[in-house]
Amino acid sequence: MQAPLREVSTKVATMSAVPVEEIARLMLSSTNNLTLHTGNIINWNHLKRKTSQNAGEEVLECLSATLNVWSSTVDPSWMNEETNNALVITNPNQMERISEDERSKLKVSVKIFLLKWDPDLVVEAVDQVCNELDIGVVDSVLLALPPLEAEMGEELSVNHILPMWESMERLYDVERVSAIGTSDLDKEMLEQTHGMARVKPTINQVNVVSCCVIPPDLTAFAKENDIQLLTHSDPRDVLPTPTFQEILRGSSHDDHVDEWQPFWVLRYTVMVKCRGVIKAKGYIVNGRRHATDMPLSVA
C-alpha cells in the first residue's frame, strides 16, 4: 500500500539535513498525479535563440528546466495533506497571473493535446489553466486528439471524437470557454463532427508539415460553414511516454519513472488584443502513474 500523505509529510518535516534534491525525489515518489506548469516562457532568453523549435522540442526543454529549478529549491513544507496526493510543480520565477483590470484587454487561447481518450481530461485541463492564470473564461480552446489505441481500430471515426467534443460543449455551455475548435480533422471528419455536434466548431487547425497545401474540399467546407482554418506545425505526439519518463529521470532522480505516463499537455498564449503582441505563453502538463508500494527510505 502507498504510505499515507500525512505520514510522508511528517517524515519530510524532519529531514532538515537531507539535500533538497533528495527531498524532491521523495515528494515525487509519494504522488501518483503530477502537474507541471512552466510559467511564462516568453522571457526565457535561451528560448528566444531557438525560433526553429517545434512544440515537442519546446515542451521538452521547458519541462526539464521547470523540474530542475523545482528540484533544487523545493520547500518540504509544500508537501502537506491538503494536496490530496496531487503534486503541482511550477517555476516560481516565471509565474504570471492575469489581473482583473487587464483581462478585458487580453485574449487567452488554449490548445489541449489529449494523450488519453478520456473526456474528463478536457474539463480538467481547462480548469487547471483557469486556476493557474486566475481567470474565469478562456477565449478559445482547440482540441488535438490522442493517437488511436490498438483496441480502438486503425482509423479515426466520429464515434471516437464525439465524447471528447461533448466535454468541449459542456465548457461552452457554462461559459468557461467562448469558442471551441478542432485540430487536424480532414474534410470528412470535420464534416461529420460538425453535422453531429450541438455546438459547432468555429476553428480547425491544419498541420502544414504533413499538408503543404490545404485541400480544396476542406477549404470549401470551412468557408460554407464559417469555420476558420489555421495552420500549425505541432508534432502528432507532442510528448511521448518515454520522453516524459526521461524528463523525470534526468531532473528528479525518481526511482519509479517507468510507471509514469503523460495524460495531457496544454499550451496557452495570452495576446494583447489591440496590439497583436503575445504577452505570455506557457505549458501545463499532467502525468500519472499506477499506485505502487513506494518506500520512504532516503538512505
Side-chain angles (χ1 to χ4, degrees):
M1 290 290 292
Q2 180 181 338
L5 195 56
R6 182 178 301 175
E7 178 183 342
V8 176
S9 180
T10 301
K11 188 171 185 69
V12 170
T14 64
M15 294 168 53
S16 58
V18 176
V20 289
E21 291 82 0
E22 187 62 18
I23 295 174
R25 185 197 66 78
L26 179 61
M27 292 177 69
L28 275 172
S29 71
S30 66
T31 185
N32 292 325
N33 191 319
L34 173 65
T35 300
L36 299 104
H37 180 193
T38 65
N40 183 10
I41 67 173
I42 290 294
N43 297 322
W44 291 21
N45 290 329
H46 65 287
L47 285 178
K48 292 180 180 178
R49 297 190 292 270
K50 299 181 179 180
T51 55
S52 61
Q53 277 187 323
N54 63 34
E57 295 166 337
E58 189 173 68
V59 73
L60 170 61
E61 182 170 357
C62 292
L63 290 183
S64 296
T66 300
L67 265 170
N68 282 331
V69 170
W70 173 79
S71 62
S72 62
T73 59
V74 62
D75 181 350
S77 67
W78 292 355
M79 188 174 185
N80 57 68
E81 55 188 312
E82 300 300 325
T83 60
N84 295 321
N85 203 31
L87 183 61
V88 178
I89 291 176
T90 62
N91 185 339
N93 299 324
Q94 304 296 335
M95 298 302 293
E96 294 184 13
R97 290 175 172 257
I98 297 175
S99 69
E100 185 175 348
D101 292 339
E102 64 178 343
R103 179 64 183 94
S104 62
K105 304 173 184 176
L106 303 173
K107 179 180 179 181
V108 181
S109 302
V110 160
K111 183 173 183 178
I112 302 171
F113 302 85
L114 273 189
L115 304 178
K116 302 292 180 185
W117 290 91
D118 183 349
D120 292 339
L121 298 180
V122 177
V123 177
E124 178 184 299
V126 171
D127 284 346
Q128 188 70 39
V129 73
C130 287
N131 180 62
E132 295 291 325
L133 299 181
D134 196 22
I135 59 175
V137 182
V138 176
D139 294 288
S140 67
V141 176
L142 300 180
L143 181 63
L145 298 167
L148 288 176
E149 298 170 357
E151 64 272 16
M152 300 176 70
E154 297 181 356
E155 294 187 3
L156 183 69
S157 76
V158 70
N159 292 329
H160 297 129
I161 300 171
L162 286 179
M164 312 300 129
W165 189 253
E166 287 169 357
S167 286
M168 298 276 279
E169 292 177 326
R170 287 195 293 272
L171 289 166
Y172 180 88
D173 289 342
V174 299
E175 300 183 348
R176 194 64 157 169
V177 302
S178 299
I180 53 179
T182 56
S183 182
D184 298 323
L185 294 189
D186 60 18
K187 188 262 183 181
E188 180 182 359
M189 284 296 97
L190 182 60
E191 183 177 16
Q192 290 185 28
T193 302
H194 185 274
M196 299 184 71
R198 181 172 50 81
V199 180
K200 309 299 183 182
T202 57
I203 303 169
N204 183 51
Q205 277 194 324
V206 180
N207 193 321
V208 294
V209 174
S210 60
C211 177
C212 297
V213 178
I214 299 177
D217 60 344
L218 178 59
T219 301
F221 179 79
K223 184 176 181 179
E224 291 171 4
N225 293 277
D226 199 22
I227 300 173
Q228 184 181 11
L229 293 181
L230 303 177
T231 58
H232 75 93
S233 58
D234 299 324
R236 177 63 176 166
D237 192 354
V238 70
L239 185 58
T241 294
T243 301
F244 184 63
Q245 293 172 349
E246 191 61 30
I247 292 172
L248 295 180
R249 179 179 292 108
S251 302
S252 67
H253 310 291
D254 182 17
D255 295 334
H256 305 276
V257 293
D258 58 337
E259 299 165 357
W260 285 95
Q261 292 186 3
F263 271 54
W264 51 263
V265 175
L266 180 147
R267 181 179 64 215
Y268 64 85
T269 56
V270 181
M271 181 176 290
V272 182
K273 291 180 180 178
C274 63
R275 297 168 56 197
V277 175
I278 296 178
K279 180 178 185 292
K281 173 184 176 182
Y283 290 92
I284 305 175
V285 174
N286 177 262
R288 301 173 195 182
R289 66 171 170 188
H290 299 296
T292 186
D293 293 331
M294 290 174 283
L296 295 179
S297 172
V298 295

mmCIF file of all heavy atoms in Angstrom, residues 251-280:
data_model
loop_
_atom_site.group_PDB
_atom_site.id
_atom_site.type_symbol
_atom_site.label_atom_id
_atom_site.label_comp_id
_atom_site.label_asym_id
_atom_site.label_seq_id
_atom_site.Cartn_x
_atom_site.Cartn_y
_atom_site.Cartn_z
ATOM 1 N N SER A 251 15.770 14.926 -14.215
ATOM 2 C CA SER A 251 15.633 16.107 -13.375
ATOM 3 C C SER A 251 15.305 15.811 -11.924
ATOM 4 O O SER A 251 15.564 16.642 -11.053
ATOM 5 C CB SER A 251 14.537 17.021 -13.946
ATOM 6 O OG SER A 251 14.832 17.386 -15.270
ATOM 7 N N SER A 252 14.738 14.657 -11.650
ATOM 8 C CA SER A 252 14.265 14.408 -10.288
ATOM 9 C C SER A 252 14.865 13.160 -9.657
ATOM 10 O O SER A 252 14.725 12.952 -8.462
ATOM 11 C CB SER A 252 12.735 14.256 -10.293
ATOM 12 O OG SER A 252 12.373 13.080 -10.998
ATOM 13 N N HIS A 253 15.485 12.303 -10.460
ATOM 14 C CA HIS A 253 16.064 11.051 -9.945
ATOM 15 C C HIS A 253 15.005 10.181 -9.269
ATOM 16 O O HIS A 253 15.288 9.472 -8.312
ATOM 17 C CB HIS A 253 17.210 11.344 -8.966
ATOM 18 C CG HIS A 253 18.215 12.305 -9.517
ATOM 19 N ND1 HIS A 253 19.064 11.976 -10.548
ATOM 20 C CD2 HIS A 253 18.485 13.598 -9.203
ATOM 21 C CE1 HIS A 253 19.836 13.021 -10.833
ATOM 22 N NE2 HIS A 253 19.497 14.011 -10.044
ATOM 23 N N ASP A 254 13.777 10.255 -9.771
ATOM 24 C CA ASP A 254 12.698 9.421 -9.241
ATOM 25 C C ASP A 254 12.987 7.953 -9.548
ATOM 26 O O ASP A 254 13.348 7.602 -10.674
ATOM 27 C CB ASP A 254 11.382 9.855 -9.871
ATOM 28 C CG ASP A 254 10.180 9.074 -9.355
ATOM 29 O OD1 ASP A 254 10.305 8.424 -8.299
ATOM 30 O OD2 ASP A 254 9.132 9.110 -10.015
ATOM 31 N N ASP A 255 12.815 7.093 -8.572
ATOM 32 C CA ASP A 255 13.115 5.673 -8.738
ATOM 33 C C ASP A 255 12.051 4.919 -9.523
ATOM 34 O O ASP A 255 12.242 3.760 -9.860
ATOM 35 C CB ASP A 255 13.268 5.009 -7.362
ATOM 36 C CG ASP A 255 14.469 5.544 -6.607
ATOM 37 O OD1 ASP A 255 15.421 6.012 -7.263
ATOM 38 O OD2 ASP A 255 14.458 5.505 -5.358
ATOM 39 N N HIS A 256 10.921 5.560 -9.804
ATOM 40 C CA HIS A 256 9.799 4.850 -10.429
ATOM 41 C C HIS A 256 9.355 5.522 -11.734
ATOM 42 O O HIS A 256 8.176 5.536 -12.057
ATOM 43 C CB HIS A 256 8.615 4.788 -9.455
ATOM 44 C CG HIS A 256 8.963 4.171 -8.133
ATOM 45 N ND1 HIS A 256 8.965 2.821 -7.912
ATOM 46 C CD2 HIS A 256 9.339 4.752 -6.957
ATOM 47 C CE1 HIS A 256 9.319 2.574 -6.646
ATOM 48 N NE2 HIS A 256 9.544 3.718 -6.063
ATOM 49 N N VAL A 257 10.292 6.068 -12.489
ATOM 50 C CA VAL A 257 9.904 6.839 -13.672
ATOM 51 C C VAL A 257 9.228 5.977 -14.738
ATOM 52 O O VAL A 257 8.420 6.483 -15.526
ATOM 53 C CB VAL A 257 11.132 7.551 -14.290
ATOM 54 C CG1 VAL A 257 11.647 8.620 -13.359
ATOM 55 C CG2 VAL A 257 12.219 6.554 -14.642
ATOM 56 N N ASP A 258 9.524 4.689 -14.767
ATOM 57 C CA ASP A 258 8.924 3.847 -15.794
ATOM 58 C C ASP A 258 7.441 3.601 -15.558
ATOM 59 O O ASP A 258 6.767 3.016 -16.410
ATOM 60 C CB ASP A 258 9.666 2.511 -15.891
ATOM 61 C CG ASP A 258 9.672 1.743 -14.583
ATOM 62 O OD1 ASP A 258 9.518 2.379 -13.515
ATOM 63 O OD2 ASP A 258 9.840 0.508 -14.622
ATOM 64 N N GLU A 259 6.908 4.046 -14.419
ATOM 65 C CA GLU A 259 5.485 3.888 -14.120
ATOM 66 C C GLU A 259 4.662 5.118 -14.545
ATOM 67 O O GLU A 259 3.438 5.082 -14.510
ATOM 68 C CB GLU A 259 5.293 3.649 -12.625
ATOM 69 C CG GLU A 259 5.992 2.386 -12.118
ATOM 70 C CD GLU A 259 6.098 2.356 -10.608
ATOM 71 O OE1 GLU A 259 5.683 3.344 -9.964
ATOM 72 O OE2 GLU A 259 6.612 1.368 -10.067
ATOM 73 N N TRP A 260 5.359 6.185 -14.956
ATOM 74 C CA TRP A 260 4.662 7.433 -15.282
ATOM 75 C C TRP A 260 4.219 7.460 -16.739
ATOM 76 O O TRP A 260 4.902 6.940 -17.622
ATOM 77 C CB TRP A 260 5.573 8.626 -15.023
ATOM 78 C CG TRP A 260 5.750 8.961 -13.574
ATOM 79 C CD1 TRP A 260 6.759 8.546 -12.750
ATOM 80 C CD2 TRP A 260 4.899 9.782 -12.780
ATOM 81 N NE1 TRP A 260 6.581 9.066 -11.495
ATOM 82 C CE2 TRP A 260 5.451 9.828 -11.475
ATOM 83 C CE3 TRP A 260 3.720 10.487 -13.038
ATOM 84 C CZ2 TRP A 260 4.862 10.547 -10.443
ATOM 85 C CZ3 TRP A 260 3.142 11.203 -12.005
ATOM 86 C CH2 TRP A 260 3.708 11.230 -10.728
ATOM 87 N N GLN A 261 3.068 8.115 -16.982
ATOM 88 C CA GLN A 261 2.583 8.372 -18.330
ATOM 89 C C GLN A 261 2.004 9.783 -18.389
ATOM 90 O O GLN A 261 1.312 10.209 -17.452
ATOM 91 C CB GLN A 261 1.493 7.368 -18.737
ATOM 92 C CG GLN A 261 1.970 5.949 -18.922
ATOM 93 C CD GLN A 261 0.867 5.045 -19.454
ATOM 94 O OE1 GLN A 261 -0.235 5.494 -19.731
ATOM 95 N NE2 GLN A 261 1.176 3.773 -19.597
ATOM 96 N N PRO A 262 2.262 10.519 -19.453
ATOM 97 C CA PRO A 262 1.610 11.825 -19.610
ATOM 98 C C PRO A 262 0.154 11.626 -20.026
ATOM 99 O O PRO A 262 -0.150 10.744 -20.831
ATOM 100 C CB PRO A 262 2.425 12.487 -20.724
ATOM 101 C CG PRO A 262 2.951 11.338 -21.533
ATOM 102 C CD PRO A 262 3.180 10.206 -20.567
ATOM 103 N N PHE A 263 -0.731 12.456 -19.483
ATOM 104 C CA PHE A 263 -2.165 12.343 -19.793
ATOM 105 C C PHE A 263 -2.642 13.481 -20.696
ATOM 106 O O PHE A 263 -3.497 13.277 -21.535
ATOM 107 C CB PHE A 263 -2.987 12.310 -18.506
ATOM 108 C CG PHE A 263 -3.183 10.921 -17.964
ATOM 109 C CD1 PHE A 263 -2.098 10.088 -17.725
ATOM 110 C CD2 PHE A 263 -4.449 10.440 -17.690
ATOM 111 C CE1 PHE A 263 -2.267 8.801 -17.227
ATOM 112 C CE2 PHE A 263 -4.642 9.159 -17.198
ATOM 113 C CZ PHE A 263 -3.540 8.329 -16.970
ATOM 114 N N TRP A 264 -2.126 14.676 -20.479
ATOM 115 C CA TRP A 264 -2.459 15.782 -21.374
ATOM 116 C C TRP A 264 -1.384 16.860 -21.304
ATOM 117 O O TRP A 264 -0.681 16.993 -20.311
ATOM 118 C CB TRP A 264 -3.841 16.396 -21.092
ATOM 119 C CG TRP A 264 -4.151 16.790 -19.676
ATOM 120 C CD1 TRP A 264 -4.845 16.058 -18.751
ATOM 121 C CD2 TRP A 264 -3.805 18.027 -19.015
ATOM 122 N NE1 TRP A 264 -4.943 16.737 -17.558
ATOM 123 C CE2 TRP A 264 -4.320 17.951 -17.695
ATOM 124 C CE3 TRP A 264 -3.122 19.169 -19.397
ATOM 125 C CZ2 TRP A 264 -4.166 18.987 -16.762
ATOM 126 C CZ3 TRP A 264 -2.951 20.207 -18.475
ATOM 127 C CH2 TRP A 264 -3.486 20.102 -17.181
ATOM 128 N N VAL A 265 -1.273 17.582 -22.407
ATOM 129 C CA VAL A 265 -0.398 18.748 -22.495
ATOM 130 C C VAL A 265 -1.264 19.923 -22.931
ATOM 131 O O VAL A 265 -2.059 19.803 -23.874
ATOM 132 C CB VAL A 265 0.735 18.531 -23.524
ATOM 133 C CG1 VAL A 265 1.566 19.801 -23.687
ATOM 134 C CG2 VAL A 265 1.625 17.360 -23.115
ATOM 135 N N LEU A 266 -1.133 21.032 -22.248
ATOM 136 C CA LEU A 266 -1.888 22.239 -22.595
ATOM 137 C C LEU A 266 -0.901 23.370 -22.873
ATOM 138 O O LEU A 266 0.014 23.606 -22.098
ATOM 139 C CB LEU A 266 -2.837 22.611 -21.464
ATOM 140 C CG LEU A 266 -3.716 23.855 -21.667
ATOM 141 C CD1 LEU A 266 -5.069 23.686 -20.965
ATOM 142 C CD2 LEU A 266 -3.037 25.128 -21.150
ATOM 143 N N ARG A 267 -1.115 24.030 -23.986
ATOM 144 C CA ARG A 267 -0.329 25.237 -24.300
ATOM 145 C C ARG A 267 -1.267 26.441 -24.309
ATOM 146 O O ARG A 267 -2.342 26.390 -24.917
ATOM 147 C CB ARG A 267 0.340 25.094 -25.663
ATOM 148 C CG ARG A 267 1.210 26.316 -26.055
ATOM 149 C CD ARG A 267 1.864 26.105 -27.400
ATOM 150 N NE ARG A 267 0.878 26.003 -28.462
ATOM 151 C CZ ARG A 267 1.023 25.206 -29.527
ATOM 152 N NH1 ARG A 267 2.088 24.452 -29.672
ATOM 153 N NH2 ARG A 267 0.084 25.171 -30.450
ATOM 154 N N TYR A 268 -0.886 27.488 -23.624
ATOM 155 C CA TYR A 268 -1.702 28.698 -23.623
ATOM 156 C C TYR A 268 -0.890 29.879 -24.153
ATOM 157 O O TYR A 268 0.336 29.933 -24.002
ATOM 158 C CB TYR A 268 -2.250 29.018 -22.227
ATOM 159 C CG TYR A 268 -1.200 29.335 -21.186
ATOM 160 C CD1 TYR A 268 -0.674 30.622 -21.043
ATOM 161 C CD2 TYR A 268 -0.720 28.344 -20.325
ATOM 162 C CE1 TYR A 268 0.284 30.906 -20.084
ATOM 163 C CE2 TYR A 268 0.232 28.618 -19.367
ATOM 164 C CZ TYR A 268 0.729 29.899 -19.252
ATOM 165 O OH TYR A 268 1.696 30.184 -18.303
ATOM 166 N N THR A 269 -1.588 30.790 -24.806
ATOM 167 C CA THR A 269 -0.989 32.053 -25.218
ATOM 168 C C THR A 269 -1.903 33.183 -24.767
ATOM 169 O O THR A 269 -3.129 33.075 -24.841
ATOM 170 C CB THR A 269 -0.788 32.128 -26.747
ATOM 171 O OG1 THR A 269 -2.042 31.910 -27.405
ATOM 172 C CG2 THR A 269 0.204 31.088 -27.220
ATOM 173 N N VAL A 270 -1.297 34.239 -24.299
ATOM 174 C CA VAL A 270 -2.022 35.427 -23.862
ATOM 175 C C VAL A 270 -1.593 36.578 -24.762
ATOM 176 O O VAL A 270 -0.412 36.949 -24.784
ATOM 177 C CB VAL A 270 -1.719 35.757 -22.391
ATOM 178 C CG1 VAL A 270 -2.507 36.987 -21.944
ATOM 179 C CG2 VAL A 270 -2.031 34.564 -21.494
ATOM 180 N N MET A 271 -2.553 37.105 -25.519
ATOM 181 C CA MET A 271 -2.233 38.143 -26.503
ATOM 182 C C MET A 271 -2.903 39.462 -26.134
ATOM 183 O O MET A 271 -4.062 39.475 -25.695
ATOM 184 C CB MET A 271 -2.689 37.708 -27.894
ATOM 185 C CG MET A 271 -2.381 38.715 -28.994
ATOM 186 S SD MET A 271 -2.826 38.090 -30.645
ATOM 187 C CE MET A 271 -1.576 36.812 -30.848
ATOM 188 N N VAL A 272 -2.179 40.563 -26.324
ATOM 189 C CA VAL A 272 -2.757 41.893 -26.148
ATOM 190 C C VAL A 272 -3.605 42.194 -27.382
ATOM 191 O O VAL A 272 -3.098 42.260 -28.505
ATOM 192 C CB VAL A 272 -1.654 42.952 -25.978
ATOM 193 C CG1 VAL A 272 -2.280 44.328 -25.749
ATOM 194 C CG2 VAL A 272 -0.737 42.592 -24.810
ATOM 195 N N LYS A 273 -4.892 42.357 -27.187
ATOM 196 C CA LYS A 273 -5.830 42.458 -28.309
ATOM 197 C C LYS A 273 -5.508 43.621 -29.246
ATOM 198 O O LYS A 273 -5.457 43.440 -30.469
ATOM 199 C CB LYS A 273 -7.256 42.617 -27.781
ATOM 200 C CG LYS A 273 -7.824 41.387 -27.099
ATOM 201 C CD LYS A 273 -9.239 41.656 -26.615
ATOM 202 C CE LYS A 273 -9.842 40.450 -25.923
ATOM 203 N NZ LYS A 273 -11.210 40.736 -25.421
ATOM 204 N N CYS A 274 -5.304 44.804 -28.720
ATOM 205 C CA CYS A 274 -5.162 45.979 -29.571
ATOM 206 C C CYS A 274 -3.835 46.025 -30.310
ATOM 207 O O CYS A 274 -3.696 46.715 -31.319
ATOM 208 C CB CYS A 274 -5.352 47.248 -28.745
ATOM 209 S SG CYS A 274 -4.099 47.475 -27.453
ATOM 210 N N ARG A 275 -2.851 45.255 -29.834
ATOM 211 C CA ARG A 275 -1.514 45.314 -30.440
ATOM 212 C C ARG A 275 -1.128 44.029 -31.155
ATOM 213 O O ARG A 275 -0.171 44.005 -31.936
ATOM 214 C CB ARG A 275 -0.478 45.619 -29.355
ATOM 215 C CG ARG A 275 -0.671 46.963 -28.683
ATOM 216 C CD ARG A 275 0.182 47.070 -27.439
ATOM 217 N NE ARG A 275 1.590 46.840 -27.733
ATOM 218 C CZ ARG A 275 2.503 46.561 -26.803
ATOM 219 N NH1 ARG A 275 2.134 46.480 -25.531
ATOM 220 N NH2 ARG A 275 3.763 46.373 -27.148
ATOM 221 N N GLY A 276 -1.853 42.945 -30.912
ATOM 222 C CA GLY A 276 -1.497 41.677 -31.523
ATOM 223 C C GLY A 276 -0.175 41.121 -31.054
ATOM 224 O O GLY A 276 0.483 40.364 -31.765
ATOM 225 N N VAL A 277 0.220 41.474 -29.854
ATOM 226 C CA VAL A 277 1.504 41.050 -29.282
ATOM 227 C C VAL A 277 1.256 39.952 -28.246
ATOM 228 O O VAL A 277 0.342 40.072 -27.415
ATOM 229 C CB VAL A 277 2.237 42.238 -28.622
ATOM 230 C CG1 VAL A 277 3.507 41.770 -27.913
ATOM 231 C CG2 VAL A 277 2.552 43.294 -29.659
ATOM 232 N N ILE A 278 2.058 38.890 -28.301
ATOM 233 C CA ILE A 278 1.929 37.820 -27.305
ATOM 234 C C ILE A 278 2.590 38.260 -26.004
ATOM 235 O O ILE A 278 3.798 38.521 -25.963
ATOM 236 C CB ILE A 278 2.564 36.520 -27.817
ATOM 237 C CG1 ILE A 278 1.800 36.014 -29.046
ATOM 238 C CG2 ILE A 278 2.527 35.452 -26.716
ATOM 239 C CD1 ILE A 278 2.383 34.751 -29.652
ATOM 240 N N LYS A 279 1.801 38.343 -24.956
ATOM 241 C CA LYS A 279 2.276 38.781 -23.646
ATOM 242 C C LYS A 279 2.818 37.615 -22.828
ATOM 243 O O LYS A 279 3.768 37.768 -22.050
ATOM 244 C CB LYS A 279 1.141 39.463 -22.892
ATOM 245 C CG LYS A 279 1.490 39.969 -21.495
ATOM 246 C CD LYS A 279 0.295 40.673 -20.871
ATOM 247 C CE LYS A 279 0.668 41.291 -19.530
ATOM 248 N NZ LYS A 279 0.946 40.259 -18.507
ATOM 249 N N ALA A 280 2.213 36.447 -22.997
ATOM 250 C CA ALA A 280 2.624 35.282 -22.215
ATOM 251 C C ALA A 280 2.337 34.015 -23.001
ATOM 252 O O ALA A 280 1.421 33.958 -23.821
ATOM 253 C CB ALA A 280 1.904 35.249 -20.860
#
